[in-house]
Amino acid sequence: MPELSHRRRQLVLAICCMSLLIVSLDVTILNVALPAMQTDLHASTSGLQWTIDAYTLVLASLLMLAGSTADRIGRKRVFIAGLVVFSLGSLLCSLAPDLDALIWFRMIQAVGGSMLNPVAMSIITNTFTEPRERARAIGVWGAVVGISMAAGPLIGGLLVDSVGWRSIFWINLPVGLAALLLTLKFIPESRAPKARRADPVGQLMVIALFGSLTYAIIEAPESGFTSILPFAILALAALAGLLWYEPRRDEPLIDLRFFRSAPFSGATVIAISAFSALGGFLFLSTLYLQNVVGLDALHAGLWMLPMAVPTFLCAPISGRLVGSRGPRISLLIAGTAMTASAVLFAGFEAETSSVSRFIGYALFGIGFGFVNAPITNTAVSGMPRAQAGVAAAVASTSRQLGQTLGVAVVGAVLASGVVASSYKETFVSAARPGWWILVACGLAVLVLGAVTSGAWARRTAERTAEKLSSVEVREAAGISA
């Protein structure tokens, strides 16, 4: 990628953030619309889970493929394709005649989404090469998530109440079109110096692992253990296959050598934990506010502001902290705040009191605002720039996998405990185990943030980066490892 002026770099960042905005808005808007969809499409709890997880599952399955493909054939080209497919999928979702069609159209939307965030992050990584400037850019990137969390529920609530749930997908069309036109004009093409070969076997095993695991979790409460056992076995077999097959490839879909770096491994698990907490938090909160308290979509969206505003404010602060002091402080703040929030709901039934609910939402927003920048920065820092797309895609995959698992696990726990005939009376008690799961997620962020951000962890990252760089030099020279 050619060296760009400061103004041009900021414009590239803004365009990349537009893609994150429509993908993030899609998640937060959809959560507010779930009760309306449930009524209109006669959906069960598992049906609602699939409207979210069909999207995040496909997204998680294809992100690494999209990242490596962009490094190979051109990041701008893949980014443009993603904008087109995502916008088309959004239009189809707004026209879905039933729940099954909506789920399929969500999957099309996700195919486009898989080409956006990891590729955009790879563009940012190759545009902002100075570490401190990159960390700040990633902080801005994280703030966009806060904007989507603030605007999504409000826009979604207003649209659902005034026009209907189908209109929530229309918001992606003008933003997607504007991003497409700006990308064509202002983002330069870039690719990795050495093209990576495709890994269809690894890709199929990733799809089998994520798909079968998610299906088994979501369908367990209704179908029973015997029915989902084959899918659980398939997930284990796919995982074993990946661990055996990928290290034997010269250019694997998932380069397991990355995980020799303790910060990179920690960032991966932290991303899964933090976004599992986010997925579960939004799922439980939305259903409680609308189906139990009886709020309309707009007022339920307003209740998301105590979470969204701190996320928006804390994300750039976290980016600056990571740039100047490293990821440790941000991760400790994030883990502490997210754990405290979940404990309020799990142990003290915070959702039943407006004051405690407000405090719980604000704490979660602070924690989530601080967690994004260290995840992304740790994932790409120290990695060879030629593999930036793959490294960023692993981080993005971890986020989407976490959100998929959060909705699947928490939704399954809720479905197994809530009684349809007395939904309002049993919801809080049925949701309590789900909140304790979110406590565990917060603790994972806290503990791993402390363990994988110290001197020992940094040494493992340096050794891993050195080995990866030496392998790249030998491959570029045509010397066998």
Side-chain angles (χ1 to χ4, degrees):
M1 178 179 286
E3 188 67 28
L4 304 178
S5 66
H6 175 75
R7 185 175 180 180
R8 183 76 175 271
R9 290 199 301 273
Q10 297 303 314
L11 182 58
V12 169
L13 175 61
I15 297 169
C16 289
C17 285
M18 291 175 72
S19 72
L20 175 64
L21 180 64
I22 56 176
V23 173
S24 300
L25 271 177
D26 192 74
V27 175
T28 53
I29 287 180
L30 184 69
N31 271 277
V32 172
L34 286 178
M37 289 180 178
Q38 186 174 32
T39 301
D40 190 35
L41 301 177
H42 309 291
S44 62
T45 299
S46 64
L48 294 180
Q49 289 172 269
W50 278 117
T51 61
I52 298 173
D53 276 359
Y55 176 84
T56 55
L57 179 61
V58 172
L59 205 61
S61 299
L62 298 181
L63 282 170
M64 284 178 286
L65 174 63
S68 59
T69 301
D71 282 347
R72 182 171 65 251
I73 70 172
R75 298 175 181 115
K76 178 178 180 178
R77 184 179 301 175
V78 173
F79 191 65
I80 289 171
L83 288 169
V84 171
V85 175
F86 185 86
S87 299
L88 175 62
S90 299
L91 178 61
L92 290 173
C93 286
S94 71
L95 303 173
D98 53 42
L99 181 65
D100 290 341
L102 177 61
I103 292 171
W104 282 107
F105 293 153
R106 289 279 289 164
M107 294 170 73
I108 293 174
Q109 203 182 17
V111 173
S114 70
M115 305 179 201
L116 295 180
N117 286 2
V119 180
M121 180 50 61
S122 182
I123 292 171
I124 290 172
T125 302
N126 283 270
T127 301
F128 297 88
T129 55
E130 197 274 320
R132 184 169 296 185
E133 189 182 29
R134 177 193 295 166
R136 289 175 178 172
I138 292 173
V140 173
W141 173 269
V144 174
V145 177
I147 294 173
S148 71
M149 291 178 69
L154 293 177
I155 295 172
L158 184 62
L159 288 174
V160 170
D161 285 346
S162 60
V163 184
W165 65 264
R166 296 178 186 277
S167 62
I168 65 172
F169 296 104
W170 299 343
I171 196 70
N172 297 329
L173 303 180
V175 179
L177 178 60
L180 175 62
L181 295 176
L182 290 170
T183 299
L184 289 169
K185 185 172 178 61
F186 293 109
I187 292 185
E189 184 61 279
S190 65
R191 56 177 58 86
K194 183 179 182 298
R196 294 171 58 83
R197 293 197 302 269
D199 181 10
V201 175
Q203 182 61 57
L204 288 173
M205 284 192 286
V206 166
I207 294 172
L209 170 60
F210 292 172
S212 56
L213 178 62
T214 304
Y215 182 88
I217 294 171
I218 290 178
E219 297 299 327
E222 293 185 6
S223 303
F225 178 75
T226 304
S227 298
I228 59 96
L229 182 59
F231 294 94
I233 293 173
L234 177 59
L236 288 173
L239 176 60
L242 281 169
L243 295 176
W244 178 84
Y245 177 77
E246 291 297 285
R248 287 164 171 77
R249 280 186 57 85
D250 292 335
E251 295 177 351
L253 177 71
I254 307 173
D255 195 334
L256 299 181
R257 293 174 298 178
F258 285 2
F259 293 95
R260 296 174 185 172
S261 164
F264 183 87
S265 298
T268 301
V269 181
I270 288 169
I272 292 173
S273 302
F275 279 77
S276 291
L278 176 66
F281 191 99
L282 291 175
F283 192 79
L284 290 177
S285 296
T286 298
L287 293 181
Y288 177 79
L289 290 172
Q290 295 190 54
N291 288 350
V292 179
V293 178
L295 299 180
D296 58 31
L298 178 58
H299 286 88
L302 286 171
W303 261 108
M304 295 294 112
L305 285 177
M307 176 178 65
V309 172
T311 299
F312 170 68
L313 296 176
C314 293
I317 296 173
S318 179
R320 288 184 172 85
L321 268 176
V322 172
S324 60
R325 304 287 296 276
R328 189 182 188 89
I329 296 175
S330 289
L331 289 173
L332 293 180
I333 294 173
T336 301
M338 294 175 79
T339 302
S341 170
V343 166
L344 269 178
F345 288 100
F348 301 97
E349 298 184 1
E351 65 265 49
T352 61
S353 164
S354 295
V355 174
S356 55
R357 188 193 309 156
F358 182 95
I359 295 171
Y361 282 15
L363 283 171
F364 191 90
I366 292 170
F368 193 73
F370 271 94
V371 82
N372 236 334
I375 289 173
T376 306
N377 195 70
T378 304
V380 299
S381 293
M383 296 297 170
R385 287 176 62 187
Q387 297 202 43
V390 179
V394 172
S396 295
T397 298
S398 302
R399 290 183 175 90
Q400 298 304 326
L401 177 60
Q403 195 153 342
T404 301
L405 292 177
V407 173
V409 173
V410 170
V413 169
L414 178 66
S416 64
V418 75
V419 178
S421 59
S422 55
Y423 188 93
K424 293 184 178 181
E425 291 76 14
T426 58
F427 186 95
V428 172
S429 60
R432 190 172 296 119
W435 289 115
W436 282 116
I437 291 171
L438 303 193
V439 171
C441 291
L443 285 173
V445 173
L446 177 61
V447 173
L448 287 171
V451 172
T452 63
S453 59
W456 162 79
R458 286 194 295 272
R459 287 195 295 271
T460 67
E462 291 167 0
R463 288 196 298 268
T464 301
E466 184 179 346
K467 289 179 181 178
L468 288 171
S469 298
S470 64
V471 169
E472 281 193 1
V473 169
R474 289 198 299 270
E475 289 175 348
I479 302 172
S480 172

